[in-house]
Amino acid sequence: MSKITTELLLERAVPRSTRLRKIETLNLTLPDLRVLNCNNNKLEDVTALKQFPLLEELTYENNVYLTLNDDYKVMFLLQNLRLLNGKDITKLAKHVRHVNSRKLTSKVTAHWEKFFRGQLPEKHTAEQVKSIKKKFLKSVQTNVVCGPSSLSEFTRWRVKMIAEEFLASSLGLELNSDPEPEEKMDENEEEESSESPREDAEDKGQVTVTARKRKRNRSKTHSRKKRSKPQVTTEKEVVVNPRKSSLVQDELAPEKPRTSNQPAKEASPEQEPEETPKNGEQLPKGQSNRRSSQLTGEQKSQEQDNGVVTLTPVKNSKGKEDVSAEPLHFLQCHSKGNSREDFKTQLWSCVFEPLLDSGARKDPIVSSSRTVATCGGESVCLIDCETGTVLKKYKVAAEEFFSVAWTTVTMVISDSRKKSHNILAAAGRRGIVKLIHVAADFCYGEIKAHKKPIATVCFSPTRETHLFTASYDKRIALWDIGIPDSDYNFKASQLLVLEVLSIPLRIALVPSCPDQYLLAGCEGGCFAWNIKLDKKQKNRPFDATFQFPDEDGSMTTLHRVDGLAFLNDDVVVSKSSKPGCIYLWSWSRSFDTKGKGCQRTTAAVILAELEWSTTDMSYLTLSTCPAKNYVFCGDEKGSVWMYNLSSYTKAWSSAKGKRSPLQKIPPAQILQWPELRANGEQLTEVLVNNVVSDPTFTYLVVLTSVNITAIWKKS
């Protein structure tokens, strides 16, 4: 093959373009490829790299959707690989390819012998073979475990591969002889099923590398798949290099109010966006008359065929008590291009706006407004929960927002008077924090906080301008965002950087000492840091990491913690460690604030365990309502699990160090997803990414995987 040049890549690219950043698919023949650099892309699947069998050096940094599981996959697939992201992996790769494979093969074989050999008669029909194959593959992926839970996706991937090889070689059961698939698989299952050695041999020669966005993992009830934090599927891909995010132009525009029973209107032409300013400079006020499309339960069923989404009667909720929550609105206000056909945009975060006259900064559980900020895709919306009105909508081209947070600051207005105003911070894939003065419909500035995506943000409850940002660059930064003057000039400064061993997913300030300790749930465990600003050290390692029970009952620090919140000043709620498990544990009894030294390992003192779904689907986060002692968590079926812990909290606080038998607490009620229809078809396979109540538990806002914001109201 001739030398690889820009011209050659553009010639072989799909779609045809004059810019490399527009390339989605490349067809190349590279049988002798030894070194490959895939940095700063949007790779989400590494299995296509198996077509470079002689690869020795591979780099794919700044691909935010690749995880530790993908590292292990390439170590197994590429037998000659020596360097991965600049590190020598020879020893670890040998263990993965040989030792780990022997263990898993032994377990797969034992599982067949113990549970399935007796089920297959000596003279079997094709239908019997099909049935036993399906049951075995499903069972073995569910029950064969090996290593830490953080590698569970890699383990299932290898177990499936080994099981297929075992059935084909030892028993002569061909795996791909069925005229049609046994069941509808999601995209990840299709990709994984292509890893058999037979297909590997067939695919050599022509190389196809596709840079595309992965569809949402919408697993069936018993699917146990890892879910990466996905992106909005767009008609026109925009490659965003986190290191060059300032080159991408923005458009922030307030949306005019529209109630949920008003029809969506066509978007009017918008002005071209102006260039993004630097930190502390004023952003131009966006101008737009675009309106969001919504789903409503108030429209009649005969409108189904006209593209309108309707709501049929809700299924009966399950639980020991009746919370009497009723669905109010189902909104579709984060659509890409305001399309009513967009049921793919992910909704990730929501938070209620504090009331300016309630002293909410001093006591955040006193009250809040009925206005909630939600984010997902390229937009942030402000919604009136009672009326379903989308009050405002802010959009940033090429962004995907992951988190929003409110603070209240005292600003000096034009006549030199001081007045309190709510400021909304929004951040996401570009690593930039947008600062929005909501009352003025104005995004007045931004902070280029990280070179990689920001997973979550939160403000200090005691210092109104202190903002924490947790990023995929494995750092948690503390910023002073400053207070804008009457011309919206402000100065932001970085105060602290907390070093993390893995990607931080959730952060929470300890309520009893919010200026001293921060807790974070990460891809690789749960950690605590001392954040006191009177210490000279600006870059700090963690103070402690917490151990939790693993699948086999032993204590481990290696687990994904994708849900984290405080129920009160002491009780922590975290979702981690093993499928179907939400733990409640004591901060004061688990962490000795007088202990010396950093990077301590300590066992979490667990108070109780909440019964939850048996899925291990990632990033279905939880929340709490401290004023009402409630915990909320959605699941992979669109349901919301609600736990009333009022009768337990007093007993925990009076225990005073005494260990009691571990309680397993069932939900007070499960709100099940109603039967929504769009274009006459029922919306199914709904994942609840987040669910949040206002401080008084009047409204419950549910964010889903299908671009729907559901609002429930408690009677």
Side-chain angles (χ1 to χ4, degrees):
M1 180 177 175
S2 58
K3 184 178 179 180
I4 298 178
T5 63
T6 299
E7 291 73 19
L8 176 64
L9 294 177
L10 292 173
E11 179 185 345
R12 303 285 184 89
V14 177
R16 298 302 294 270
S17 174
T18 58
R19 302 180 66 184
L20 290 175
R21 65 183 299 176
K22 300 292 185 180
I23 294 177
E24 295 180 7
T25 302
L26 270 177
N27 293 320
L28 301 174
T29 303
L30 302 171
D32 298 322
L33 187 66
R34 298 294 200 280
V35 179
L36 179 61
N37 186 327
C38 298
N39 288 349
N40 304 318
N41 278 286
K42 297 185 290 182
L43 300 181
E44 297 179 346
D45 178 53
V46 296
T47 55
L49 298 175
K50 70 181 179 180
Q51 301 176 61
F52 307 123
L54 300 182
L55 202 61
E56 297 177 1
E57 299 180 20
L58 173 63
T59 307
Y60 49 54
E61 295 180 317
N62 291 339
N63 285 272
V64 298
Y65 303 111
L66 298 185
T67 68
L68 182 63
N69 290 279
D70 297 297
D71 294 346
Y72 275 67
K73 286 183 181 181
V74 296
M75 280 186 261
F76 174 79
L77 291 171
L78 303 175
Q79 299 291 312
N80 290 349
L81 194 65
R82 297 182 294 104
L83 295 178
L84 179 60
N85 293 329
K87 297 180 180 179
D88 188 338
I89 50 92
T90 306
K91 186 176 180 180
L92 177 58
K94 185 177 180 180
H95 179 88
V96 171
R97 295 165 190 156
H98 303 291
V99 179
N100 179 267
S101 293
R102 283 198 300 270
K103 288 182 179 179
L104 291 177
T105 301
S106 176
K107 291 190 174 188
V108 168
T109 305
H111 192 75
W112 170 267
E113 295 293 336
K114 184 175 181 180
F115 298 106
F116 287 90
R117 174 170 288 280
Q119 296 185 31
L120 187 66
E122 292 186 10
K123 295 182 180 181
H124 45 263
T125 64
E127 197 63 34
Q128 288 174 322
V129 169
K130 179 179 178 180
S131 176
I132 198 73
K133 178 180 64 176
K134 179 178 179 180
K135 291 178 181 178
F136 175 62
L137 290 177
K138 182 177 180 180
S139 175
V140 76
Q141 291 180 78
T142 301
N143 295 290
V144 171
V145 294
C146 182
S149 59
S150 57
L151 290 174
S152 59
E153 193 243 348
F154 166 76
T155 300
R156 286 193 298 274
W157 178 78
R158 280 292 291 131
V159 164
K160 181 179 181 181
M161 188 185 302
I162 292 170
E164 289 176 337
E165 294 171 355
F166 171 77
L167 292 176
S169 62
S170 300
L171 304 173
L173 301 184
E174 290 301 324
L175 299 173
N176 297 316
S177 59
D178 294 333
E180 54 187 33
E182 298 165 7
E183 60 180 337
K184 185 178 180 181
M185 296 188 294
D186 65 14
E187 184 176 24
N188 282 347
E189 292 173 325
E190 291 171 352
E191 291 171 357
E192 291 179 6
S193 65
S194 67
E195 303 311 316
S196 65
R198 297 183 306 285
E199 294 186 9
D200 185 45
E202 296 169 0
D203 287 341
K204 294 181 180 177
Q206 186 74 4
V207 177
T208 302
V209 180
T210 302
R212 56 172 172 71
K213 295 180 179 180
R214 177 183 300 169
K215 294 180 182 179
R216 177 57 178 258
N217 271 348
R218 283 181 259 179
S219 304
K220 294 178 182 291
T221 302
H222 301 291
S223 176
R224 300 167 67 79
K225 309 257 339 142
K226 182 265 292 180
R227 178 171 62 104
S228 65
K229 208 154 192 173
Q231 300 220 39
V232 182
T233 301
T234 63
E235 295 179 0
K236 184 177 181 181
E237 297 287 346
V238 181
V239 179
V240 179
N241 184 338
R243 299 181 185 276
K244 301 177 182 178
S245 55
S246 62
L247 300 179
V248 180
Q249 294 178 328
D250 299 347
E251 172 208 340
L252 280 98
E255 201 56 29
K256 291 184 179 180
R258 178 167 58 83
T259 56
S260 63
N261 59 358
Q262 289 179 309
K265 296 182 180 179
E266 292 295 325
S268 61
E270 298 178 341
Q271 296 184 3
E272 288 295 320
E274 300 182 33
E275 188 173 351
T276 302
K278 298 179 180 179
N279 288 4
E281 295 181 359
Q282 181 175 338
L283 274 177
K285 187 172 181 179
Q287 299 180 19
S288 172
N289 291 320
R290 283 194 178 185
R291 308 209 178 222
S292 60
S293 60
Q294 301 186 15
L295 290 87
T296 171
E298 301 171 4
Q299 293 159 315
K300 297 182 180 180
S301 59
Q302 56 261 35
E303 295 177 316
Q304 291 177 3
D305 295 331
N306 297 323
V308 178
V309 182
T310 61
L311 171 66
T312 62
V314 182
K315 299 177 183 178
N316 292 330
S317 299
K318 298 180 180 179
K320 291 187 175 181
E321 63 178 73
D322 186 4
V323 182
S324 300
E326 298 179 352
L328 281 185
H329 308 285
F330 291 82
L331 312 178
Q332 191 186 12
C333 49
H334 290 269
S335 298
K336 179 70 174 179
N338 293 329
S339 171
R340 289 191 177 188
E341 304 303 319
D342 181 3
F343 295 104
K344 297 179 180 179
T345 294
Q346 307 277 355
L347 309 184
W348 293 112
S349 176
C350 62
V351 61
F352 278 84
E353 182 179 11
L355 284 175
L356 291 174
D357 57 354
S358 67
R361 294 296 307 170
K362 298 179 181 178
D363 187 357
I365 69 170
V366 169
S367 185
S368 74
S369 68
R370 66 188 195 186
T371 302
V372 67
T374 62
C375 74
E378 63 184 13
S379 59
V380 175
C381 293
L382 268 66
I383 302 169
D384 184 321
C385 289
E386 182 63 30
T387 65
T389 303
V390 180
L391 302 171
K392 305 177 191 297
K393 184 175 181 179
Y394 303 91
K395 299 178 69 175
V396 178
E399 178 63 281
E400 181 179 13
F401 287 107
F402 291 155
S403 187
V404 286
W406 290 99
T407 189
T408 304
V409 299
T410 302
M411 298 171 58
V412 178
I413 55 181
S414 56
D415 57 358
S416 298
R417 290 186 294 110
K418 293 182 178 181
K419 187 175 181 181
S420 294
H421 289 275
N422 285 333
I423 301 296
L424 182 66
R429 179 162 60 91
R430 294 172 60 195
I432 298 173
V433 178
K434 296 290 185 182
L435 300 173
I436 304 170
H437 183 195
V438 174
D441 291 343
F442 189 31
C443 176
Y444 65 86
E446 65 178 26
I447 301 171
K448 296 179 175 65
H450 299 271
K451 293 181 179 179
K452 288 191 177 182
I454 296 173
T456 187
V457 298
C458 79
F459 279 101
S460 166
T462 57
R463 304 190 182 190
E464 60 187 13
T465 61
H466 284 195
L467 175 70
F468 289 89
T469 58
S471 170
Y472 279 65
D473 63 9
K474 300 179 183 179
R475 291 180 177 86
I476 300 172
L478 171 59
W479 302 85
D480 188 335
I481 66 170
I483 297 178
D485 61 20
S486 57
D487 294 322
Y488 288 102
N489 297 310
F490 73 104
K491 183 178 180 180
S493 59
Q494 188 183 84
L495 305 177
L496 199 61
V497 175
L498 308 179
E499 298 168 355
V500 194
L501 297 181
S502 58
I503 296 172
L505 303 173
R506 299 285 177 260
I507 55 178
L509 293 163
V510 179
S512 59
C513 45
D515 294 328
Q516 185 169 0
Y517 288 105
L518 177 139
L519 198 61
C522 309
E523 285 282 357
C526 187
F527 302 86
W529 287 264
N530 188 322
I531 57 172
K532 287 191 69 173
L533 294 178
D534 57 1
K535 299 176 67 175
K536 295 182 179 179
Q537 187 179 10
K538 184 177 179 180
N539 285 61
R540 300 180 189 176
F542 65 88
D543 268 31
T545 178
F546 297 91
Q547 291 180 322
F548 293 86
D550 207 342
E551 284 89 342
D552 58 2
S554 59
M555 300 298 285
T556 180
T557 58
L558 296 174
H559 53 275
R560 178 186 292 118
V561 179
D562 58 5
L564 183 72
F566 276 85
L567 182 62
N568 53 35
D569 285 353
D570 183 58
V571 178
V572 187
V573 189
S574 63
K575 183 167 77 69
S576 64
S577 188
K578 59 184 180 181
C581 177
I582 299 176
Y583 283 124
L584 292 98
W585 50 285
S586 169
W587 159 259
S588 62
R589 291 160 61 183
S590 302
F591 182 76
D592 183 6
T593 56
K594 297 180 180 179
K596 296 182 179 180
C598 63
Q599 300 190 8
R600 292 172 282 165
T601 298
T602 180
V605 178
I606 298 174
L607 306 172
E609 180 180 344
L610 302 182
E611 294 179 1
W612 187 64
S613 168
T614 56
T615 184
D616 64 353
M617 182 76 72
S618 303
Y619 314 124
L620 307 179
T621 195
L622 56 80
S623 69
T624 60
C625 180
K628 302 296 182 180
N629 289 306
Y630 261 86
V631 174
F632 308 97
C633 191
D635 67 13
E636 80 286 6
K637 302 177 185 178
S639 299
V640 176
W641 299 55
M642 304 191 296
Y643 306 85
N644 186 351
L645 303 177
S646 302
S647 60
Y648 299 94
T649 52
K650 291 183 179 179
W652 293 333
S653 61
S654 63
K656 296 182 179 180
K658 297 180 181 179
R659 287 188 175 271
S660 56
L662 182 64
Q663 296 173 292
K664 198 152 187 176
I665 303 174
Q669 189 174 17
I670 301 176
L671 296 179
Q672 297 199 7
W673 187 250
E675 296 176 357
L676 290 177
R677 293 184 178 274
N679 298 327
E681 296 183 3
Q682 184 173 340
L683 292 177
T684 58
E685 299 175 343
V686 178
L687 307 181
V688 174
N689 289 335
N690 204 343
V691 52
V692 174
S693 78
D694 67 303
T696 60
F697 190 14
T698 302
Y699 302 101
L700 197 64
V701 179
V702 179
L703 303 183
T704 71
S705 63
V706 292
N707 189 26
I708 296 176
T709 301
I711 301 176
W712 298 68
K713 185 176 182 180
K714 184 181 177 184
S715 300

